[in-house]
Amino acid sequence: MSQLYSLILASQSPRRKAFLSQLGYQFESISPDIDESLKPQETPHDYVARLALEKAQSIAKKSADATVVIGSDTCVVYQQRILGKPENLQQCREYLLLLSGTTHQVYTGVAVVQQALSKTSVVCTHVEFDEISDAEINAYWQSGEPKDKAGGYGIQGIGGQFVKTINGSYSSVVGLPLCETKQLLTQFNIFTPFNSTTTK
């Protein structure tokens, strides 16, 4: 990465931090403070794009001019309904029964901001679930994993057992599309040890 820039991830998500570290980026993580409420008539695509940008902008406003900030947001969608993080077992059961035996979409927006300059990308991945029983839902809830996961499951954890097929980006479903993030950062002249040859 160019020494002229510092890089901040506008998230404390361990999954997003692990993905960025995996690619060799050196960065700091800071939690953004924004209103994540859905606006009237807002589509899932527009929702994650807006939140990703607002997260990055909220940190960029408080940072040095040369700082580049990455923001990201993910939502699980079933028939255009955004499924948030379940507040209790009843809501988790509702979400997982909707997804059981069907295909849903996971939208992830990623935005990169430096001062007034910003670039945004949205990735949509189709995920097909196996049939899920009530007993499996109860046991999964007791594991604690669904409580902070959009749609009530984590594909990278125990929830991966429900996934039959995935059409699109696995890393996007987890929370940060690696390919698109790398492409956006390259536009800001930030490279990993694995693509830095492009600067030579």
Side-chain angles (χ1 to χ4, degrees):
M1 186 176 71
S2 169
Q3 296 303 309
L4 297 176
Y5 300 92
S6 59
L7 183 64
I8 295 176
L9 173 65
S11 173
Q12 289 289 359
S13 162
R15 296 165 295 280
R16 291 182 178 129
K17 289 194 286 187
F19 273 145
L20 273 186
S21 296
Q22 178 181 315
L23 291 185
Y25 292 107
Q26 301 295 315
F27 62 94
E28 178 184 3
S29 295
I30 302 177
S31 292
D33 183 16
I34 66 166
D35 180 3
E36 298 189 17
S37 302
L38 182 68
K39 293 186 176 181
Q41 309 303 316
E42 193 169 34
T43 66
H45 178 285
D46 292 344
Y47 175 66
V48 296
R50 175 176 62 84
L51 288 191
L53 183 59
E54 289 181 357
K55 287 177 179 180
Q57 289 175 331
S58 70
I59 301 300
K61 289 176 182 176
K62 306 171 187 177
S63 305
D65 290 348
T67 302
V68 175
V69 184
I70 305 167
S72 186
D73 192 79
T74 300
C75 71
V76 172
V77 179
Y78 177 72
Q79 296 184 351
Q80 291 303 303
R81 175 187 172 187
I82 295 176
L83 307 182
K85 299 174 182 178
E87 297 179 358
N88 48 48
L89 173 58
Q90 180 180 356
Q91 193 168 57
C92 181
R93 179 180 290 112
E94 176 193 356
Y95 289 171
L96 292 181
L97 288 178
L98 283 175
L99 303 181
S100 175
T102 65
T103 298
H104 63 276
Q105 292 71 46
V106 178
Y107 287 82
T108 295
V110 58
V112 177
V113 172
Q114 183 186 33
Q115 294 182 290
L117 181 62
S118 65
K119 301 283 185 179
T120 305
S121 180
V122 174
V123 178
C124 177
T125 301
H126 298 267
V127 181
E128 180 188 6
F129 263 27
D130 194 6
E131 298 285 346
I132 310 173
S133 68
D134 276 338
E136 287 176 315
I137 292 173
N138 290 334
Y140 186 43
W141 176 258
Q142 292 302 320
S143 75
E145 184 176 276
K147 298 176 183 178
D148 67 339
K149 303 293 190 298
Y153 78 94
I155 193 173
Q156 74 283 358
I158 303 168
Q161 68 181 308
F162 306 134
V163 177
K164 286 184 69 175
T165 64
I166 178 172
N167 184 5
S169 168
Y170 170 81
S171 61
S172 180
V173 177
V174 176
L176 188 70
L178 291 181
C179 180
E180 288 75 13
T181 300
K182 184 195 75 171
Q183 289 172 345
L184 291 177
L185 288 174
T186 298
Q187 296 180 53
F188 286 77
N189 294 316
I190 292 185
F191 306 91
T192 75
F194 308 106
N195 71 343
S196 59
T197 53
T198 57
T199 64
K200 294 179 180 179

